[in-house]
């Protein structure tokens, strides 16, 4: 039973359309340059406008296909599902919302954990799905990402997380906030094992996801013009009572101000990640056992 009953209906949002989402049809009008693009051409360029470089929002599966060699990967823990621990109800019961989203997306929660090869380097990738309740991070998302990192630890492989999220899942309350600490702790273990973690921030990456693992990468890479922040710009403006600068919370602005390392076009993302991983020596050509000299001598005698 809800504690408080809403007397009035919530204020309807002014816009119902989502301009970034790829719409149906053979031709698509680009929100960036207002030109018509042939849908097939758009798909071939990984849903980036070939004319102006506008990045359309894409799903987790498309991202994984674009990153893994030959689009081949193995998915892990696909059946973890939220049990609605708080029996939460807002405009409708959380359980109902979950069931509807699962039916619509064919996914059980907002992240896909996959293993495979990226330019012949074995990696673990977690890709978040925005269409699943705004890519929000609940208990299942936190658990799956943690397990993914632990898998990277066991296999001694680099971890990559592609964030696309509105933040913590409010329907799971404090339990969703705990995932920030849980995932961060797993990443700390990855760091101590000297394994690389690359964080890829896509439009949008906000709230508890930005405030935890998305900003913890050995390399934090964002897509062009991606919205990245903690609170939304309107909330900040109202709090500090100042006008925010142009491009505030967009990836380029954040690189210039030292919050991110790189902004990379989606079409170059795979090559950029592979280059970074090779630089971090993540591809052992023939895994050379590194035994400290003193220890080797001690065992021989
Ligand atoms: Zn365009």
């Amino acid at each position: 039973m809800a504690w408080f009953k809403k007397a009035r209906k919530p204020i309807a949002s002014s816009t119902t359309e989502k301009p970034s989402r790829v719409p149906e049809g053979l031709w698509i009008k680009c929100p960036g340059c207002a030109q018509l693009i042939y849908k097939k051409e758009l798909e071939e360029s990984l849903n980036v406008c070939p004319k102006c470089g506008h990045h359309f929002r894409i799903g987790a599966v498309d991202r994984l296909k674009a990153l893994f060699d030959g689009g081949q990967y193995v998915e892990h823990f696909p059946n973890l599902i939220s049990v609605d621990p708080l029996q939460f109800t807002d405009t409708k019961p959380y359980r109902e919302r979950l069931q509807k989203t699962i039916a619509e997306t064919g996914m059980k929660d907002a992240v896909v954990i996959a293993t495979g090869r990226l330019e012949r380097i074995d990696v673990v990738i977690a890709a978040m799905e925005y269409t699943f309740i705004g890519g929000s991070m609940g208990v299942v998302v936190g658990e799956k990402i943690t397990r993914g990192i632990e898998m990277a630890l066991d296999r001694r492989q680099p971890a990559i997380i592609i964030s696309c999220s509105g933040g913590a899942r409010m329907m799971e309350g404090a339990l969703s906030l705990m995932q920030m600490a849980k995932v961060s702790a797993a990443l700390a273990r990855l760091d101590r094992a000297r394994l690389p973690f690359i964080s890829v921030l896509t439009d949008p990456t906000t709230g508890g996801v930005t405030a935890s693992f998305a900003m913890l990468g050995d390399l934090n890479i964002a897509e062009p013009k991606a919205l990245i922040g903690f609170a939304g710009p309107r909330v900040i403006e109202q709090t500090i009572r100042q006008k925010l600068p142009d491009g505030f919370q967009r990836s380029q602005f954040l690189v210039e101000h030292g919050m991110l390392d790189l902004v990379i076009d989606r079409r170059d993302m795979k090559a950029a990640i592979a280059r970074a991983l090779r630089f971090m020596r993540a591809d052992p050509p023939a895994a050379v056992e590194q035994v400290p000299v003193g220890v080797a001598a001690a065992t021989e005698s």
Side-chain angles (χ1 to χ4, degrees):
M1 196 188 78
W3 284 4
F4 303 105
K5 221 176 170 109
K6 276 211 178 87
R8 280 181 293 173
K9 283 215 163 122
I11 302 162
S13 68
S14 55
T15 53
T16 46
E17 54 165 357
K18 290 176 192 144
S20 262
R21 193 75 208 171
V22 181
E24 300 298 317
L26 219 53
W27 292 87
I28 290 145
K29 192 175 174 183
C30 170
C33 61
Q35 292 198 55
L36 285 175
I37 322 161
Y38 189 42
K39 195 174 179 189
K40 213 156 184 188
E41 197 186 346
L42 187 64
E43 277 165 12
E44 275 162 16
S45 67
L46 303 174
N47 284 304
V48 177
C49 172
K51 285 155 188 155
C52 74
H54 174 81
H55 282 52
F56 287 82
R57 197 171 286 163
I58 60 168
V61 170
D62 287 339
R63 284 204 178 275
L64 293 173
K65 280 188 185 156
L67 288 179
F68 282 116
D69 294 346
Q72 299 284 316
Y73 61 88
V74 181
E75 192 186 341
H76 300 270
F77 329 114
N79 293 319
L80 284 187
I81 193 162
S82 174
V83 293
D84 184 16
L86 307 179
Q87 304 189 349
F88 191 87
T89 302
D90 48 274
T91 50
K92 62 177 162 183
Y94 175 41
R95 196 173 285 262
E96 221 171 82
R97 198 185 290 274
L98 266 178
Q99 278 164 356
K100 187 167 167 277
T101 313
I102 288 168
E104 278 171 7
T105 58
M107 294 172 66
K108 299 271 164 57
D109 217 302
V111 72
V112 181
I113 311 296
T115 52
R117 298 188 127 194
L118 186 155
E119 287 199 5
R120 300 187 308 283
I121 307 167
D122 284 302
V123 292
V124 180
I125 304 184
M128 301 187 79
E129 174 60 54
Y130 194 75
T131 54
F132 198 103
I133 319 187
S136 53
M137 172 180 56
V139 170
V140 173
V141 168
E143 177 64 20
K144 280 174 87 169
I145 293 179
T146 305
R147 286 191 192 184
I149 296 163
E150 282 168 352
M151 208 152 71
L153 268 167
D154 286 344
R155 300 174 171 209
R156 293 212 50 88
Q157 289 172 5
I160 298 159
I161 302 178
I162 300 155
S163 300
C164 186
S165 172
R169 188 171 297 170
M170 62 164 194
M171 300 85 160
E172 294 184 10
L175 294 168
S176 71
L177 297 180
M178 289 173 195
Q179 307 311 311
M180 295 165 68
K182 186 163 88 180
V183 175
S184 302
L187 285 173
R189 272 184 283 152
L190 196 73
D191 182 53
R192 279 200 292 275
R194 305 187 70 78
L195 292 166
F197 163 46
I198 293 182
S199 174
V200 179
L201 298 91
T202 70
D203 183 66
T205 298
T206 57
V209 170
T210 310
S212 60
F213 57 83
M215 285 291 178
L216 290 176
D218 295 306
L219 198 63
N220 297 326
I221 310 176
E223 283 190 341
K225 291 188 184 154
L227 174 77
I228 297 158
F230 182 66
R234 224 172 322 147
V235 176
I236 299 172
E237 264 181 4
Q238 282 164 11
T239 310
I240 63 171
R241 289 157 198 262
Q242 275 178 36
K243 190 103 188 73
L244 295 168
D246 277 345
F248 179 74
Q249 290 186 325
R250 295 284 163 183
S251 44
Q252 195 56 47
F253 184 93
L254 295 170
V255 166
E256 284 160 16
H257 292 79
M259 290 285 285
L260 295 171
D261 299 307
L262 289 167
V263 173
I264 302 275
D265 190 295
R266 187 182 294 156
R267 292 164 289 188
D268 304 324
M269 191 62 85
K270 181 175 176 175
I273 293 174
R275 201 159 52 234
L277 289 178
R278 280 197 208 96
F279 176 75
M280 297 179 198
R281 307 288 296 273
D283 60 334
V288 185
E289 283 288 318
Q290 289 207 340
V291 184
V293 180
V295 177
T299 45
E300 271 165 27
S301 59

